[in-house]
Amino acid sequence: MRSRQRMFAAVMRLLLKCLRLGRRRRFKLVRQAEQLWHYGHLCLRSLLYNSFTNGDVVLDSLFEPVYWLVDHVTRWFGVVFVALVIGLTSSIVAIVYICLLPLILQTYTPAWICWHLAYGHWNLIMIVFHYYMAITTSPGHPPQAKGDLTGVSICRKCIAPKPARTHHCSICNRCVLKMDHHCPWLNNCVGHYNHRYFFSFCLFMTMGCIYCSISGWEMFRDAYAAIERMKLLEKERLQVAANQTYYQTPPPTFSFRQRAFHKSVVYLWVLCSSVALALGALTLWHAALITRGETSIERHINKKERQRLQKKGKVFRNPYSYGSWDNWKVFLGVDVPRHWLTRVLLPSPHLPHGTGLRWDLPPCVTEQRAPLLAI
């Protein structure tokens, strides 16, 4: 009996010893894992730590591959977008000349004929001129030399002087004077020297689409009803052909020319109405920015600056805004009253005020600009 008790006690001591050893090893492994984690975290912080790093920097770093992909896709597809604009616009002009113009000359009064011919061709000339100038005119780039530029910042990507209102375009990989945005439909940046061409193209293209939509509304209704009749007659013709006898003849069908005419009118109205809505909204947005003397990029910058100063009890004043009316005069280059005709209502390749490197008071501005900050 005693031998059994001794054996049982020895087994229990051995078991407790094994448990102690296992617990020690487990604690040792946990301590080693914690040391490795702290060591790796310290190495990572020593390599990546920056006192200026915040959540926005981390998000920009994570989305950098997405930005790179978008920039390169936009750069290579810019030519496709330009070809698409030219192709769609040319198709609308061809439909107007081939299908609608003969009908206008046959049915409209001489006064309406003169109106459509004059306004339609004027609008077309303005669209073609401003689109060509927008895609071929350089937006303007700052010089690489540092000699003539004073009081400017340095672009972190170009490592070159960056004047006021200048921003770096990641698609063009260059700094652009008074950059508004990179437009894929132009395959070009919108900046100091072609901003007016871009806005004028949007405005006249919207006006042309609205003109085509309003003028072709009745024709669109008739063409749509004719296409529905075509579908109904086609269904009846197939039914008659399936049950045809010697005493039955299929109903008459529309010719290829009639089908093409009606479908072209529907295509014209749907495309012009869609473009008028989308491009009209974009035009109104840029008109509001021009009224405030801002670009698309400056709108976001000024908004943040306005909120920051508001917390300090100060009011932000845009230093590049001269008042609503003067902002439009500066943007369009209107120095004298006759320029509203020669530079706004007619094609004009005149240059904007200034060089984009300095922003002195234009001669057409009647009032001095407001201060940047006011308490």
Side-chain angles (χ1 to χ4, degrees), residues 41-345:
H41 186 260
L42 180 61
C43 290
L44 187 64
R45 287 181 62 85
S46 64
L47 293 174
L48 303 178
Y49 177 75
N50 190 336
S51 59
F52 297 101
T53 302
N54 53 24
D56 294 337
V57 176
V58 174
L59 288 177
D60 289 341
S61 301
L62 293 176
F63 280 93
E64 189 65 28
V66 179
Y67 298 150
W68 181 89
L69 180 63
V70 171
D71 292 343
H72 281 71
V73 168
T74 305
R75 184 182 306 168
W76 288 108
F77 275 83
V79 179
V80 178
F81 291 150
V82 171
L84 187 62
V85 172
I86 296 175
L88 293 177
T89 306
S90 301
S91 66
I92 296 299
V93 174
I95 291 173
V96 170
Y97 274 103
I98 296 173
C99 300
L100 301 186
L101 187 59
L103 187 62
I104 291 174
L105 295 176
Q106 293 174 5
T107 58
Y108 283 31
T109 61
W112 277 110
I113 291 175
C114 293
W115 156 254
H116 284 291
L117 290 177
Y119 178 81
H121 286 89
W122 169 78
N123 203 343
L124 178 61
I125 291 172
M126 298 297 285
I127 290 173
V128 173
F129 171 79
H130 287 102
Y131 187 69
Y132 174 78
M133 294 299 293
I135 62 178
T136 57
T137 303
S138 173
H141 306 285
Q144 298 298 318
K146 301 181 181 180
D148 299 333
L149 298 178
T150 58
V152 296
S153 60
I154 301 297
C155 179
R156 293 179 298 176
K157 297 184 178 180
C158 295
I159 315 299
K162 188 171 69 171
R165 311 188 79 179
T166 300
H167 299 279
H168 185 89
C169 177
S170 58
I171 299 175
C172 299
N173 199 24
R174 294 189 67 180
C175 283
V176 178
L177 299 176
K178 192 193 169 186
M179 179 180 176
D180 188 89
H181 69 287
H182 183 94
C183 182
W185 300 103
L186 301 180
N187 194 27
N188 196 8
C189 269
V190 177
H192 179 62
Y193 288 102
N194 64 347
H195 194 182
R196 179 178 65 88
Y197 297 131
F198 164 77
F199 177 78
S200 298
F201 163 72
C202 293
L203 176 63
F204 289 112
M205 178 64 82
T206 302
M207 292 170 56
C209 291
I210 293 175
Y211 162 74
C212 291
S213 298
I214 295 176
S215 301
W217 169 245
E218 294 296 334
M219 296 180 184
F220 166 75
R221 292 178 57 186
D222 296 339
Y224 186 81
I227 291 175
E228 292 298 322
R229 288 197 301 270
M230 289 181 197
K231 295 180 181 179
L232 183 60
L233 291 175
E234 184 68 21
K235 185 183 297 185
E236 293 179 359
R237 190 182 68 82
L238 293 176
Q239 291 177 354
V240 170
N243 303 319
Q244 188 174 13
T245 63
Y246 293 105
Y247 302 101
Q248 290 177 324
T249 56
T253 58
F254 289 86
S255 64
F256 173 79
R257 185 174 181 179
Q258 291 173 326
R259 292 172 181 270
F261 174 82
H262 295 309
K263 291 181 179 181
S264 298
V265 172
V266 172
Y267 163 79
L268 179 144
W269 192 88
V270 172
L271 180 61
C272 288
S273 301
S274 303
V275 173
L277 291 175
L279 193 59
L282 179 64
T283 304
L284 292 176
W285 164 253
H286 280 279
L289 293 177
I290 295 169
T291 304
R292 295 196 295 262
E294 298 176 333
T295 62
S296 299
I297 298 177
E298 290 174 349
R299 189 256 178 187
H300 299 286
I301 297 175
N302 293 346
K303 182 179 179 181
K304 291 182 179 179
E305 188 68 13
R306 189 177 294 110
Q307 293 175 352
R308 185 183 70 85
L309 293 177
Q310 187 177 5
K311 295 179 181 178
K312 296 182 178 181
K314 298 181 180 180
V315 179
F316 173 77
R317 294 286 185 266
N318 184 8
Y320 308 110
S321 178
Y322 314 104
S324 300
W325 182 247
D326 286 336
N327 286 337
W328 279 101
K329 290 169 64 178
V330 172
F331 177 79
L332 298 174
V334 176
D335 297 328
V336 294
R338 61 181 174 85
H339 285 167
W340 290 105
L341 174 63
T342 59
R343 293 188 174 185
V344 179
L345 298 180

